[in-house]
């Protein structure tokens, strides 16, 4: 005789079967795989109980995992400060000494003592009826050089060991003349030097000669005396 089974009885049976077929942990909480879906149980005729997952599985909303492992601090390496290579000091430069420039005696000037001697020369020339002569700067430079040369080289002659006679000296200095003559004196003063010239026939002839138009006079003041050079030319 067939018995009708009520829906309530079926439900109880399903619950009992589910309790028998699932472990105790599954009965305590819904089965939640990684997809977080909830299994459901249905009874099929002839097949028993089947666990099914809903087709639309809800997404899990879980808090992100937090790694509590302490992170060691990052220590930046300290690089040593580079030491610059030592710089050698510059080698000392020897000072360059310019070569001495020889004086240009063609642009010479005549001293005050030369002016005084010229006045005495022209006075004597006038006494003998001769025309006056003029001081020449280039000839004065040559005459001063000759007086200095006699002092430096300790000689007293018309022939210089450095320049030769007056004609050769003027040529070396680049002073053009047609002819030349020379007087030299070594006395205490220029007055005594001029008096000595006028007392000597050869020196007096140079002072009074009509051949000369210009003269250069150089005086070197030494210790207790003067060296006087007179170069006549035209």
């Amino acid at each position: 005789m067939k018995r009708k089974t009520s829906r309530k009885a079926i439900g109880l049976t399903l619950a009992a079967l589910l309790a028998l077929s699932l472990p105790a942990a599954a009965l305590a909480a819904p089965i939640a795989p990684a997809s977080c879906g909830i299994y459901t149980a249905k009874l099929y005729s002839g097949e028993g109980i089947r666990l099914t997952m809903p087709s639309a599985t809800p997404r899990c909303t879980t808090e992100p995992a937090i790694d509590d492992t302490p992170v060691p601090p990052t220590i930046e390496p300290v690089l040593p400060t580079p030491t610059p290579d030592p710089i050698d000091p510059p080698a000392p430069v020897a000072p360059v000494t310019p070569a001495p420039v020889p004086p240009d005696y063609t642009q010479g000037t005549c001293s005050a003592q030369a002016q005084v001697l010229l006045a005495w020369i022209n006075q004597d020339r006038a006494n003998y009826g001769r025309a006056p002569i003029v001081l020449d700067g280039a000839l004065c430079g040559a005459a001063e050089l000759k007086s200095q040369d006699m002092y430096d080289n300790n000689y007293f002659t018309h022939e210089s060991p450095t320049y030769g006679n007056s004609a050769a000296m003027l040529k070396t200095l680049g002073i053009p003349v047609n002819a030349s003559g020379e007087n030299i004196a070594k006395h205490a003063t220029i007055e005594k030097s001029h008096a000595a010239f006028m007392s000597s026939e050869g020196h007096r002839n140079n002072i009074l000669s009509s051949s000369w138009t210009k003269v250069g006079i150089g005086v070197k003041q030494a210790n207790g005396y003067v060296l006087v050079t007179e170069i006549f030319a035209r």
Side-chain angles (χ1 to χ4, degrees), residues 48-139:
I49 296 173
R50 182 185 301 174
L51 298 177
T52 60
M53 176 73 76
S55 59
T57 304
R59 296 279 184 181
C60 294
T61 55
T62 59
E63 294 295 330
I66 299 176
D67 188 358
D68 293 333
T69 305
V71 179
T74 302
I75 301 175
E76 295 292 336
V78 179
L79 300 178
T81 303
T83 302
D85 295 334
I87 300 175
D88 293 334
V93 179
V96 178
T97 303
V101 178
D104 183 5
Y105 289 101
T106 63
Q107 302 297 323
T109 57
C110 301
S111 67
Q113 290 177 311
Q115 298 284 351
V116 172
L117 284 166
L118 176 67
W120 294 338
I121 289 171
N122 280 332
Q123 181 62 52
D124 289 332
R125 287 175 68 86
N127 292 339
Y128 284 86
R130 305 291 191 269
I133 58 178
V134 297
L135 278 175
D136 181 87
L139 291 176

Side-chain angles (χ1 to χ4, degrees), residues 149-172:
D149 186 57
M150 287 191 294
Y151 176 80
D152 292 341
N153 293 290
N154 193 28
Y155 72 94
F156 183 71
T157 64
H158 289 288
E159 192 77 18
S160 166
T162 307
Y163 304 103
N165 59 28
S166 61
M169 183 180 187
L170 295 177
K171 184 177 180 180
T172 299

Side-chain angles (χ1 to χ4, degrees), residues 146 150-151 153-159 183-187 197 203 226-229:
K146 175 61 181 291
M150 287 191 294
Y151 176 80
N153 293 290
N154 193 28
Y155 72 94
F156 183 71
T157 64
H158 289 288
E159 192 77 18
N183 286 346
I184 57 174
K186 181 180 180 180
H187 279 282
F197 286 150
H203 297 91
V226 294
L227 289 167
V228 178
T229 300

Side-chain angles (χ1 to χ4, degrees), residues 32-57:
S35 61
C36 292
I38 302 300
Y39 289 100
T40 59
K42 289 185 179 181
L43 179 62
Y44 291 87
S45 179
E47 298 181 6
I49 296 173
R50 182 185 301 174
L51 298 177
T52 60
M53 176 73 76
S55 59
T57 304

